[in-house]
DNA sequence: CCTATGCATGAGAAAAAATCATGGATAAAC
DNA sequence: GTTTATCCATGATTTTTTCTCATGCATAGG
């Protein structure tokens, strides 16, 4: 037993303003439109809402009752809607990235990101299991993918390029006769549930012998591996893009010229569904973040 | 901050039934219509209400919240509307008539009217001041009008025809030599705030002498005048239509063949505004009452 | 692996709503 | 008391919205 809903808006306005013409003005439609909507509503209800007395309108008894119902209803609906929209609008931009990317790429630049987004809050979720990515929880995600993800809104952020790295001090204190001898120092391995390319794969691909006589330290978390490298614990595989900042600042050095470009990439995954209908402001903030990511990490070659 | 309202109905149904297709079925529209309405609503809100997972839909967190709001709102609106419509629908058919018509024409036939209307209640308001007729209080009115009322929904019920009457017993006990002598018996006059045609007017128009030597009794209410006539108190002016029943039953007799057709009428006033949009059942009841009135009182000539 | 089911979507059809112009009716102003 | 201005109703027409149909894509289940 639902009445036609659009006329309710006209009715509410007409009651509040005491005139069809005024209601028409407020709703930016013609006077005739209001007249017809009210008539439609009355037609459905089966009784007149207004007593038309020539030039003025007056609520009937039933109209009075209904006006209060309608007004309250629309008010509540409006408030609920508004609150929900507002809440969503203010919801932080949520990024899900691998622990490595979060720790090595984002954390050092948090000040920059923060300045970029201004009032907009940012929520960062670091997690290595890409499969656990829930469509509803994130706006953006950055993950290493062996193949291009089927998701249409995925773009490569930077290619996977793997080099051997150690700290400057480690290299300097290491008496070497050749590059390939160097990688026979203490090898830092990253071992996590996800598959990582390991030293043997790398040595094989760049054409170095996979030596036997090395010391090995396993760490289950790539950021900690880097920590260990910085701490002069040995040599490790370095993913370009992840470690560029350390290379640029001279904390870490590339041991050899060898670089394995695997053909895989780190991908930027945009959650289109979640933001397709967001407000312009939110879309804009999101785009700025996207642009910043591209600016900061794309074309990190050579 | 009101959302587009029609999609709310689709949304509520989709949530309740867990499927756009099912909602489409319930609302008798195509599946695509529901899909578009939901999309429109999401577009307005700025966030997705459902999580589309291939073949099934799942409410998002925001969708869940909104669904509860919308459901409650529509429920309340529906109930209020339903209650009001129901109340109006059951409202008694209201007739406003002059005291004379109510007392002399309607009251004696109440059993008949009651049977005619069945469940539908009747409200009868007897009042002589036609100017006090409020558009909102009546469905039908019957009033004597000197001129045809300007109201379009007015039809003549019966013409004003005035004769002289008395009780059979009064006539029989009165030794008369001629008709015009008879009307010189005790004259019963009706004197009310409204203007009534009085004995001198009538005598003048039918061509009888206005005699001086009569006894006069004034009563401020026409039904009471008739009561007095029945009680053998004298002669009175009788309005055809009002007194036909008494004439037919022989309680009263027409004293002389003289009849003054004034050209004025009793009119049936239909409150079109109040019932134009009423339910078919109510309209039907109203029409039956109208028809009954016409059947019973129209063409009451000769 | 194939079929059945469910949602999205482009193009076109159908329906609804708005507009314009006009009329009637009233209140206010001269 | 006539005139003027204001307000609502309404017929005809145009504009806008909405729906439908057909199809595509993705998934679940046999």
């Amino acid at each position: 037993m639902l009445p036609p809903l659009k006329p309710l808006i006209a009715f509410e306005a007409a009651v509040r303003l005491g005139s069809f013409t005024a209601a028409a003005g407020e709703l930016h439609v013609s006077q005739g439109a209001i007249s017809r909507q009210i008539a439609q509503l009355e037609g459905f209800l089966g009784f007149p809402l207004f007593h038309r007395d020539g030039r003025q309108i007056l609520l009937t008894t039933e109209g009075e009752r209904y006006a209060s119902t309608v007004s309250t209803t629309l008010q509540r609906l409006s408030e609920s809607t508004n609150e929900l929209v507002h809440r969503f609008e203010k919801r932080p931009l949520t990024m899900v990235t691998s622990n490595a990317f979060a720790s090595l790429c984002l954390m050092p630049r948090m000040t920059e990101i923060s300045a970029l987004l201004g009032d907009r809050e940012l929520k960062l979720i670091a997690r290595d299991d890409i499969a656990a990515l829930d469509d509803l929880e994130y706006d953006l995600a950055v993950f290493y993918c062996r193949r291009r993800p089927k998701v249409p809104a995925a773009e490569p952020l930077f290619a996977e390029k793997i080099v051997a790295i150690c700290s400057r001090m480690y290299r300097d204190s290491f008496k070497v006769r050749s590059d390939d001898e160097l990688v026979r120092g203490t090898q830092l391995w990253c071992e996590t549930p996800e598959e990582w390319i390991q030293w043997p794969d790398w040595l094989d691909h760049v054409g170095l012998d996979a030596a036997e006589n090395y010391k090995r330290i396993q760490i289950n978390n790539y950021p900690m591996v880097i920590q260990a490298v910085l701490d002069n614990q040995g040599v490790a595989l370095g993913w370009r893009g992840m470690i560029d900042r350390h290379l640029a600042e001279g904390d870490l050095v590339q041991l050899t010229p060898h670089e394995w470009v695997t053909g895989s990439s780190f991908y930027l995954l945009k959650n289109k569904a979640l933001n397709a209908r967001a407000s312009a402001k939110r879309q804009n903030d999101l785009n700025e973040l996207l642009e910043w990511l591209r600016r900061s990490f794309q074309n990190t070659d050579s």
Side-chain angles (χ1 to χ4, degrees), chain A:
Chain A
M1 188 75 187
L2 274 174
L5 298 182
K6 199 166 355 188
L8 295 183
I9 299 173
F11 177 50
E12 190 275 336
V15 169
R16 182 160 36 74
L17 302 172
S19 141
F20 288 9
T21 305
E26 181 174 285
L27 299 176
H28 306 296
V29 292
S30 67
Q31 169 269 321
I34 301 294
S35 173
R36 284 192 151 81
Q37 289 195 7
I38 301 290
Q40 188 196 349
L41 185 55
E42 290 177 324
F44 173 86
L45 294 173
F47 54 82
L49 293 165
F50 293 102
H51 179 48
R52 278 84 159 173
D53 190 26
R55 203 164 116 174
Q56 64 182 342
I57 55 174
L58 204 74
L59 277 172
T60 62
T61 312
E62 291 84 14
E64 198 116 31
R65 276 187 69 91
Y66 203 53
S68 109
T69 294
V70 168
S71 163
T72 308
T73 300
L74 292 186
Q75 184 82 27
R76 285 213 187 117
L77 184 61
S78 168
E79 279 167 10
S80 301
T81 304
N82 191 49
E83 197 237 308
L84 208 55
V85 167
H86 205 68
R87 174 189 307 235
F88 185 85
E89 170 63 24
K90 290 212 305 187
R91 186 184 51 111
L93 287 181
T94 304
M95 284 185 77
V96 183
T97 76
S98 62
N99 283 302
F101 188 82
S103 179
L104 295 170
C105 301
L106 295 180
M107 294 312 290
R109 293 170 164 99
M110 275 314 270
T111 312
E112 202 178 329
I113 299 178
S114 202
L116 181 83
L117 293 180
D119 284 344
R120 176 77 61 193
E121 288 179 27
L122 182 73
K123 181 174 175 183
L124 189 56
I125 298 175
R127 176 202 302 151
D128 287 329
D129 184 10
I130 186 175
L133 203 56
D134 180 348
D135 270 8
L136 295 177
E137 71 173 348
Y138 76 101
D139 299 302
L140 282 181
V142 178
F143 276 96
Y144 166 73
C145 300
R146 196 148 295 198
R147 260 172 280 283
R148 183 185 194 94
K150 287 180 185 170
V151 192
E155 65 179 62
L157 190 58
F158 56 89
E160 181 178 42
K161 297 173 188 169
I162 309 174
V163 297
I165 54 170
C166 67
S167 68
R168 178 179 299 278
M169 185 186 292
Y170 187 84
R171 186 189 62 183
D172 292 347
S173 67
F174 206 96
K175 301 293 174 277
V176 287
R177 281 157 298 179
S178 66
D179 286 342
D180 60 323
E181 192 170 346
L182 186 58
V183 299
R184 289 184 172 73
T186 302
Q187 287 181 0
L188 298 170
W189 287 49
C190 184
E191 303 271 13
T192 75
E194 286 76 40
E195 266 189 47
W196 286 76
I197 285 169
Q198 300 294 7
W199 275 108
D201 308 312
W202 188 80
L203 291 168
D204 189 34
H205 271 89
V206 301
L208 295 174
D209 290 337
E212 298 299 320
N213 55 334
Y214 56 83
K215 184 180 169 194
R216 182 162 96 176
I217 299 178
Q218 293 186 24
I219 301 178
N220 76 336
N221 177 301
Y222 191 67
M224 283 176 63
V225 170
I226 300 301
Q227 198 65 41
V229 176
L230 287 167
D231 213 31
N232 310 309
Q233 298 296 317
V235 298
L237 292 180
W239 272 260
R240 296 293 312 275
M242 297 284 206
I243 54 155
D244 287 6
R245 173 159 284 232
H246 286 297
L247 293 179
E249 290 178 359
D251 298 339
L252 297 181
V253 293
Q254 185 170 337
L255 275 177
T256 76
H258 302 104
E259 181 176 74
W260 179 20
V261 179
T262 65
S264 297
S265 274
F266 282 75
Y267 283 89
L268 189 50
L269 309 173
K270 293 165 280 186
N271 190 338
K272 214 171 174 187
L274 199 56
N275 286 291
R277 316 176 195 286
S279 76
K281 166 107 174 59
R282 185 180 178 84
Q283 300 248 14
N284 190 55
D285 288 346
L286 192 53
N287 280 331
E288 284 199 32
L289 185 55
L290 270 166
E291 271 309 317
W292 179 86
L293 283 165
R294 295 192 189 106
R295 244 191 348 263
S296 305
F297 298 103
Q298 246 170 17
N299 305 320
T300 318
D301 31 30
S302 81

